[in-house]
Amino acid sequence: MKIDSIKNGIVIDHIKAGKGMYLYEVLGLEKLDCQVAIIKNAESKKQGKKDIIKIDSLIDIDFDVLGYVDNGLTVNIIKDGVLIEKKSLELPEKIVNVIKCKNPRCITSVEQELPHIFKLTDREKGVYRCIYCETRAKDR
Ligand SMILES: [Zn+2]
């Protein structure tokens, strides 16, 4: 695909350099049939270097996952070749099944069917804790 000629799709911009592949994985983009481009280490005036993901389709994106992984990124939504929406992200209050609790005594490691839920407990520092055992999630 021509990188700059998305007609209908999503461009995730200002991703911290090195986080692009990780986002690709946690968003499950490998399951898509449409074209997806990851640009690594693009030049950025603001950040020095950044990653960009371009998705050639208007898929439903999990903004909570995006915000959790990197709340400094922007999501551009393009329809008929026109940028219709530019979204900035915040840390989500809660994330479900994005990361797993590492505490071996946590109920989620016994009860396999339980969802892994983490709550934001300190917005300033970006601290997430398991809702079952309060174990702190590792930093992103
Ligand atoms: Zn736990």
Side-chain angles (χ1 to χ4, degrees), residues 15-23 40-41 49-51:
I15 304 167
K16 265 189 216 101
K19 285 266 170 97
M21 269 316 286
Y22 177 64
L23 260 185
K40 288 183 64 169
N41 299 323
K49 276 181 179 169
K50 64 178 182 181
D51 290 356

Side-chain angles (χ1 to χ4, degrees), residues 100-109 116-118 129-136:
K100 287 191 165 145
C101 184
K102 291 279 188 290
N103 177 4
R105 298 210 305 256
C106 180
I107 186 153
T108 54
S109 56
H116 290 260
I117 305 172
F118 282 77
R129 288 182 190 277
C130 175
I131 63 157
Y132 307 103
C133 69
E134 301 203 330
T135 293
R136 186 177 168 168

Side-chain angles (χ1 to χ4, degrees), residues 117-129:
I117 305 172
F118 282 77
K119 266 193 89 161
L120 182 62
T121 55
D122 185 336
R123 181 169 288 277
E124 222 158 275
K125 298 200 179 93
V127 177
Y128 282 85
R129 288 182 190 277

Side-chain angles (χ1 to χ4, degrees), residues 8 21 29 60 75 107:
N8 292 288
M21 269 316 286
L29 299 182
D60 279 328
V75 180
I107 186 153

Side-chain angles (χ1 to χ4, degrees), residues 2-90:
K2 271 207 200 126
I3 295 295
D4 292 316
S5 63
I6 287 182
K7 267 244 157 87
N8 292 288
I10 296 166
V11 178
I12 307 170
D13 201 358
H14 300 113
I15 304 167
K16 265 189 216 101
K19 285 266 170 97
M21 269 316 286
Y22 177 64
L23 260 185
Y24 180 86
E25 278 167 31
V26 292
L27 289 171
L29 299 182
E30 81 277 358
K31 292 183 212 117
L32 295 177
D33 290 327
C34 66
Q35 299 183 76
V36 179
I38 301 180
I39 298 139
K40 288 183 64 169
N41 299 323
E43 268 179 48
S44 160
K45 279 184 192 127
K46 221 164 65 179
Q47 292 163 283
K49 276 181 179 169
K50 64 178 182 181
D51 290 356
I52 305 167
I53 296 178
K54 300 195 177 199
I55 304 163
D56 203 14
S57 175
L58 287 164
I59 58 161
D60 279 328
I61 249 183
D62 191 330
F63 287 101
D64 284 353
V65 173
L66 279 180
Y68 170 72
V69 172
D70 183 352
N71 64 328
L73 50 77
T74 43
V75 180
N76 302 292
I77 297 169
I78 297 153
K79 244 184 188 162
D80 298 322
V82 180
L83 177 65
I84 55 156
E85 204 180 344
K86 202 175 179 111
K87 262 181 178 274
S88 309
L89 295 174
E90 288 184 0

